[in-house]
Amino acid sequence: MPPRASQAPQPKPLPLPLPCERCQNPSYEPYRPDSKLEVYRPGDILAIHERTSVPVYHFLTGRSPSSRMLATKSWGSMGYVAWSRLKATLGNSPDATTSVGQPREPRPCVILHETPISPSAAEVRVYLFATFGGSGALPRILKHFRIPIYPHQDALPGVTHAHTTPEWPTGGTWILGLVCTSNARVRGRWDDRRHESHLKASFKLSDEQLARIITRSDARQANWQILSLKDRRMADRALQEYRVSTSCLNSVVRLYLGCHTGILHSHLRETEPPS
């Protein structure tokens, strides 16, 4: 009988990444900033009237998006876009955007530098939060720079993710790790409404958490630049993909509104009390 071929040694399985300590021991103690503070500190989570398209365009083109783009196209929460436009359609609220293209409802963001708590503060540097409509079919630029916030389902061991203090109240939220230098209106701190008995409860990222997110974002930006050197048209294609995807998003929202506005009007007619 011919000799049996010796089997090649099997590679040892890689060790599983250690579970995140905060994921194992989440903290829900309310965070109440000192009311006497005159500045926002790095890591504070604020409410800002800004769009995710602003840092995307700044990064890819070095310019802000046009006022038309600001007024009509932005990847954020499709549910919010649909609802705000639905209210505007029914006449229950003004249009969903301001005259300069800022969304009327704010989104959360984390501030990156010490900033006066003052209506006259002209500029802030932040990372924006977004849900991106809960979609996995995102353009490349968003996939490259998004960072999940616990309890997002993608906040897994070995994956860079963020923990707010206290933990963020909903799943499905990301940090867009592109610095947004914005003159948009800051409404104040993002309210933690789970603790209504504790006035002025809010959220923050600890120094450690913020440093981790900045390090991750800087690394992703450096990686993007390396890829761009190998492919000079990568930024142009990424911008075109972003434009197409946001156009598709707006088409979906318009379709959603077309269906649900009629349903809601019909429901209102049926439930309207007799005159």
Side-chain angles (χ1 to χ4, degrees):
M1 294 179 60
R4 299 177 64 180
S6 60
Q7 293 184 347
Q10 296 296 316
K12 294 182 179 180
L14 294 175
L16 295 175
L18 295 175
C20 169
E21 183 178 343
R22 280 288 299 271
C23 288
Q24 292 183 307
N25 300 286
S27 172
Y28 296 98
E29 287 295 318
Y31 166 59
R32 295 186 294 277
D34 186 347
S35 60
K36 297 179 181 179
L37 287 174
E38 297 182 353
V39 295
Y40 297 121
R41 292 175 174 168
D44 283 341
I45 296 176
L46 310 180
I48 190 171
H49 294 261
E50 190 57 281
R51 295 181 179 274
T52 54
S53 56
V54 170
V56 169
Y57 268 75
H58 271 297
F59 181 73
L60 292 176
T61 71
R63 304 185 304 272
S64 298
S66 66
S67 57
R68 182 184 177 194
M69 290 294 294
L70 279 174
T72 60
K73 299 176 182 178
S74 181
W75 264 103
S77 169
M78 185 173 73
Y80 161 68
V81 173
W83 172 241
S84 59
R85 292 187 184 177
L86 180 59
K87 290 194 296 181
T89 301
L90 295 176
N92 292 336
S93 73
D95 185 71
T97 60
T98 67
S99 59
V100 293
Q102 296 177 8
R104 189 165 296 281
E105 293 298 323
R107 73 169 65 247
C109 67
V110 57
I111 197 160
L112 302 177
H113 66 131
E114 193 170 278
T115 303
I117 301 176
S118 167
S120 61
E123 188 175 89
V124 293
R125 293 178 67 251
V126 299
Y127 290 141
L128 299 176
F129 287 22
T131 64
F132 302 127
S135 173
L138 293 177
R140 181 179 184 180
I141 184 70
L142 298 183
K143 286 183 178 179
H144 193 84
F145 286 101
R146 64 182 182 178
I147 299 170
I149 303 173
Y150 180 89
H152 197 290
Q153 63 180 6
D154 287 350
L156 301 171
V159 175
T160 300
H161 58 276
H163 284 271
T164 60
T165 301
E167 306 294 350
W168 199 244
T170 57
T173 305
W174 305 86
I175 295 175
L176 178 58
L178 288 170
V179 175
C180 179
T181 302
S182 175
N183 293 304
R185 182 165 67 93
V186 174
R187 193 185 68 181
R189 299 182 188 275
W190 190 265
D191 294 331
D192 182 1
R193 296 178 181 175
R194 295 172 301 186
H195 303 287
E196 294 181 359
S197 60
H198 302 288
L199 298 180
K200 306 299 183 182
S202 184
F203 299 89
K204 68 174 181 178
L205 289 181
S206 68
D207 292 344
E208 178 187 359
Q209 289 287 324
L210 182 60
R212 180 181 294 116
I213 297 308
I214 291 174
T215 298
R216 171 64 171 174
S217 300
D218 289 348
R220 297 304 290 167
Q221 184 168 336
N223 176 256
W224 184 279
Q225 299 299 341
I226 291 171
L227 295 174
S228 296
L229 291 175
K230 298 177 181 178
D231 180 359
R232 298 290 183 177
R233 297 193 63 250
M234 189 176 81
D236 292 337
R237 285 200 300 272
L239 182 60
Q240 180 62 22
E241 181 191 22
Y242 182 79
R243 285 172 170 166
V244 170
S245 67
T246 49
S247 296
C248 293
L249 173 67
N250 277 269
S251 297
V252 171
V253 170
R254 284 194 294 271
L255 178 62
Y256 177 92
L257 290 176
C259 296
H260 288 75
T261 302
I263 293 172
L264 185 54
H265 273 302
S266 175
H267 173 73
L268 292 174
R269 285 196 299 270
E270 292 173 1
T271 58
E272 189 176 42
S275 56

